[in-house]
Amino acid sequence: MFPLPLPAAVCYNRAMRRFNTTGTCIAEKHYMVNIDERIRQIKKMVDRGDYFCINRGRQYGKTTTLRYLKKALDEEYTVFSISFEGMSDSSFSSLENCGRAFFERLSECIEYDEVALVDDETKKIISGIKGFDQDKDLSLAISKLCKKNTRPIVVIIDEVDQAGNYEAFIKFLGLLRDKFLNRDTRPTFHSVILAGVYDIKNLKLKIRPEENHQYNSPWNIAARFDVSMELDEDGIRGMLEDYEAEHHTGMDTARMAKLLSDYTGGYPFLVSRLCQIIDEELECDWTDAGFQKAIKVILSEKDTLFDDIRKKLDDFPAMRTMITAILFSGEPLSFNSYDRAVNVASMFNFIKDKNGKIAVSNRIFETWFYNLFESEAETSQLPEDTDIIREGSIDKPLFIKDGRLDMKKVLERFCVHFNEIYDINDARFIERQGRKFFLFFLKPIINGTGNYYVEAETRDERRMDVVVDYAGERFVVELKIWRGESYNERGERQLADYLDYYGLDRGYLVSFCFNKNKQPGVREVSVGNRTIVEAVV
């Protein structure tokens, strides 16, 4: 089995246990993505003496990366790796208390033999510090510590978010910054690494989400951290090959690695959790169908990652509005990190920069957002949302025959309900909301058996492709705004090309047309050797 990794682990790097008939553990095995190159890149920054921050979303592999980094640094440096997790409020009530708590954590590292290459004189200095009467005492203690130790000292601080509420911590960072700027004459730490969800310049957002003055960085000497923390497809495949070599499940490791990469965007927790679901809950069903079942499970369960996403949407309403616009309206919003909503969403790894435009960071997050917004719409009491959802639920028995989804019938009924419910004269409203209404209509139909996602490559103001997986079958539905007959014909050809990519011979097209002379309804057209079922509403 693949137990969930420790918090923020890289991938399933907890022990894999096999038991004999008595229940005694007889073997252990670790499976994880190789992160050697990541560690090498980060070590280069340490070798240069950089001070920097590693800020990524929750359960993104930060803590595991720091553990492996420390092992790589121990041969050359005296490394203190501490965490602010669980520190009391009093520890940050003043700079002096913050300094004392900091040195107490350093002392604990020595007490538990967690520090390699530390001199006896350094141990005495740390153990002898009981407190500080003023700021300069803390500064002098750091210089004395770094001067006496014969090797450069590296400090790693995990969970810095825990201190983000306190002005004393900001002052502590300012002290480290001043010592960094004067390190040619005053000894100080060779390198300092901070890790957490919030970037240092955004720490104030943690308790005051809507505060305007959150970008004043107390640590403007920090080097840029551009090292990728995502799990790439090749790395995932290597991990799966290690697993397959031992367990012989018949898995197509290349195919499974691509699916994991495509759906998770390399988000470590999502990769790990999906593998655990397939291995444990689905009894090693490493097939496309098994993978889709795992997607359904992960989207339906309640865990701390999705709890945190839900909270962040409430804390940052501008971010919620932006994500809604991307998903439902196809608005091609520019990725500008100085835009507050963009900055916050990218910090949490909810979105990414895709060719200069904003995109949701992975398909699982995207589908989770769709599910949340659809669920909220059901209880919103807004007729434009609830009416179409209700009709999809009522008509569901019409669309499922012998366990298979009749997508043509779905389009036919959507046309009927759409024209009954909405005022087609309000063209601008329909243009903004039409695709949302189709997704709201579709969701209760496939709920419980199928999944869908919107293809990011085709999402824009004019076109959006929805890929639906239902009971082992795949359907591609293009949603577009009618821009004339010639544009429509190009859309049909584009869809046919897209079907080639998926190896399908039948596709579906929904056109939202505001022409008074339009002929609403569903028809079938042939494009080469492909069949397009086209609905005009």
Side-chain angles (χ1 to χ4, degrees):
M1 61 179 179
F2 291 103
L4 274 178
L6 292 169
V10 172
C11 200
Y12 25 100
N13 59 336
R14 286 278 298 276
M16 176 179 177
R17 297 178 174 86
R18 295 298 179 198
F19 297 85
N20 60 19
T21 55
T22 65
T24 304
C25 181
I26 59 175
E28 289 189 349
K29 178 69 176 180
H30 293 263
Y31 298 101
M32 65 176 294
V33 172
N34 188 303
I35 61 170
D36 289 349
E37 180 57 31
R38 180 190 306 175
I39 300 302
R40 280 192 290 269
Q41 292 181 49
I42 301 176
K43 185 177 182 299
K44 286 181 181 179
M45 299 182 70
V46 174
D47 292 340
R48 291 197 302 263
D50 289 343
Y51 284 31
F52 57 95
C53 312
I54 302 177
N55 69 283
R56 293 293 187 275
R58 294 200 180 280
Q59 298 178 297
Y60 215 89
K62 299 183 294 296
T63 299
T64 299
T65 296
L66 294 179
R67 289 173 182 161
Y68 280 85
L69 176 64
K70 182 181 182 303
K71 291 180 181 179
L73 297 175
D74 275 342
E75 295 182 4
E76 302 175 41
Y77 302 97
T78 297
V79 183
F80 290 92
S81 184
I82 67 174
S83 172
F84 282 167
E85 181 74 34
M87 291 182 69
S88 65
D89 292 348
S90 61
S91 298
F92 300 101
S93 59
S94 68
L95 178 58
E96 290 75 21
N97 285 347
C98 185
R100 182 174 63 251
F102 172 71
F103 270 88
E104 286 174 353
R105 291 293 164 110
L106 300 188
S107 181
E108 288 177 2
C109 291
I110 294 175
E111 178 69 24
Y112 293 106
D113 296 321
E114 297 171 352
V115 186
L117 306 178
V118 60
D119 297 342
D120 290 339
E121 185 66 21
T122 301
K123 294 179 181 179
K124 292 179 181 179
I125 294 172
I126 293 175
S127 62
I129 292 175
K130 303 304 180 184
F132 306 96
D133 294 328
Q134 49 188 327
D135 297 359
K136 69 177 183 180
D137 293 340
L138 174 57
S139 178
L140 287 172
I142 292 174
S143 289
K144 185 178 180 181
L145 174 69
C146 296
K147 182 178 181 179
K148 291 295 184 181
N149 202 65
T150 57
R151 299 175 183 84
I153 296 178
V154 175
V155 175
I156 300 172
I157 307 177
D158 199 5
E159 300 292 346
V160 293
D161 305 65
Q162 302 297 317
N165 303 358
Y166 305 99
E167 188 66 28
F169 177 63
I170 304 301
K171 291 180 178 179
F172 178 68
L173 292 180
L175 184 148
L176 293 180
R177 177 191 61 204
D178 290 342
K179 297 189 72 61
F180 174 88
L181 295 173
N182 293 288
R183 60 182 174 176
D184 290 342
T185 57
R186 300 182 181 184
T188 191
F189 301 124
H190 175 75
S191 178
V192 177
I193 305 167
L194 308 180
V197 173
Y198 287 78
D199 193 0
I200 294 301
K201 67 177 180 294
N202 291 324
L203 276 176
K204 292 181 182 179
L205 283 171
K206 186 171 183 292
I207 57 171
R208 295 183 291 276
E210 297 307 313
E211 183 172 301
N212 292 324
H213 301 91
Q214 74 273 17
Y215 296 113
N216 297 325
S217 176
W219 224 34
N220 53 16
I221 45 88
R224 285 177 57 87
F225 184 79
D226 294 324
V227 179
S228 174
M229 298 282 284
E230 293 79 24
L231 305 181
D232 62 30
E233 185 177 328
D234 289 341
I236 296 172
R237 180 177 180 178
M239 175 181 60
L240 294 178
E241 287 174 346
D242 288 345
Y243 169 82
E244 182 62 17
E246 182 170 341
H247 301 294
H248 311 292
T249 66
M251 179 202 322
D252 182 341
T253 55
R255 171 64 177 168
M256 192 57 55
K258 179 171 176 54
L259 286 172
L260 286 165
S261 179
D262 287 348
Y263 275 78
T264 68
Y267 202 112
F269 170 79
L270 298 178
V271 174
S272 178
R273 179 61 183 138
L274 285 171
C275 289
Q276 184 192 28
I277 291 169
I278 294 172
D279 181 69
E280 295 182 7
E281 301 179 30
L282 303 180
E283 300 180 346
C284 297
D285 185 3
W286 296 95
T287 63
D288 282 22
F291 182 82
Q292 292 302 325
K293 292 177 184 176
I295 293 292
K296 177 187 171 185
V297 172
I298 200 171
L299 288 171
S300 63
E301 64 187 8
K302 186 177 178 61
D303 60 46
T304 55
L305 175 60
F306 293 124
D307 285 348
D308 188 65
I309 295 175
R310 182 69 179 83
K311 181 179 184 301
K312 294 297 188 298
L313 290 175
D314 290 339
D315 289 344
F316 302 97
M319 179 179 70
R320 168 191 277 265
T321 299
M322 177 189 69
I323 291 175
T324 303
I326 296 169
L327 296 181
F328 291 119
S329 301
E331 296 183 19
L333 302 178
S334 297
F335 191 100
N336 186 334
S337 59
Y338 286 98
D339 180 277
R340 189 165 183 272
V342 173
N343 178 56
V344 171
S346 60
M347 180 177 67
F348 296 142
N349 292 103
F350 297 167
I351 65 171
K352 61 184 177 182
D353 183 347
K354 190 174 183 63
N355 301 321
K357 301 297 181 182
I358 301 170
V360 177
S361 60
N362 60 71
R363 290 179 184 172
I364 292 179
F365 280 4
E366 181 174 292
T367 305
W368 187 88
F369 285 134
Y370 277 123
N371 290 348
L372 174 67
F373 297 147
E374 187 269 343
S375 178
E376 290 177 341
E378 284 186 298
T379 58
S380 69
Q381 304 303 313
L382 295 176
E384 60 265 28
D385 290 340
T386 57
D387 288 356
I388 197 71
I389 295 172
R390 183 181 62 253
E391 296 298 346
S393 299
I394 294 172
D395 285 354
K396 181 175 181 177
L398 301 176
F399 309 132
I400 312 300
K401 299 178 180 179
D402 299 324
R404 299 181 63 185
L405 177 64
D406 186 340
M407 184 60 76
K408 181 178 180 180
K409 179 66 72 173
V410 171
L411 267 57
E412 289 174 346
R413 295 300 295 169
F414 176 70
C415 286
V416 171
H417 295 309
F418 187 89
N419 288 299
E420 288 176 345
I421 295 172
Y422 302 112
D423 181 5
I424 202 65
N425 292 321
D426 190 354
R428 183 56 185 161
F429 171 74
I430 298 301
E431 185 169 343
R432 292 195 311 269
Q433 303 289 331
R435 289 177 291 197
K436 180 181 78 169
F437 296 148
F438 178 78
L439 294 175
F440 280 1
F441 181 73
L442 177 66
K443 181 61 168 60
I445 296 171
I446 66 172
N447 193 35
T449 303
N451 302 301
Y452 73 85
Y453 67 89
V454 176
E455 179 54 63
E457 297 292 341
T458 64
R459 183 197 287 111
D460 58 34
E461 287 182 311
R462 296 186 176 184
R463 180 185 175 204
M464 178 188 291
D465 285 328
V466 180
V467 181
V468 180
D469 290 302
Y470 189 92
E473 286 190 272
R474 174 161 289 173
F475 306 86
V476 175
V477 185
E478 180 179 320
L479 311 176
K480 68 181 185 65
I481 307 301
W482 181 277
R483 304 290 183 185
E485 189 62 44
S486 60
Y487 176 79
N488 190 62
E489 291 175 357
R490 288 200 305 272
E492 293 170 348
R493 291 193 297 270
Q494 287 176 331
L495 178 55
D497 291 339
Y498 201 48
L499 294 175
D500 287 337
Y501 172 78
Y502 278 104
L504 301 173
D505 56 15
R506 190 176 181 85
Y508 303 84
L509 179 63
V510 178
S511 297
F512 296 94
C513 179
F514 313 115
N515 190 327
K516 293 181 179 180
N517 297 321
K518 70 176 182 179
Q519 295 182 348
V522 177
R523 62 173 183 164
E524 292 190 9
V525 297
S526 297
V527 181
N529 60 346
R530 309 295 183 195
T531 299
I532 307 295
V533 179
E534 181 173 353
V536 177
V537 295

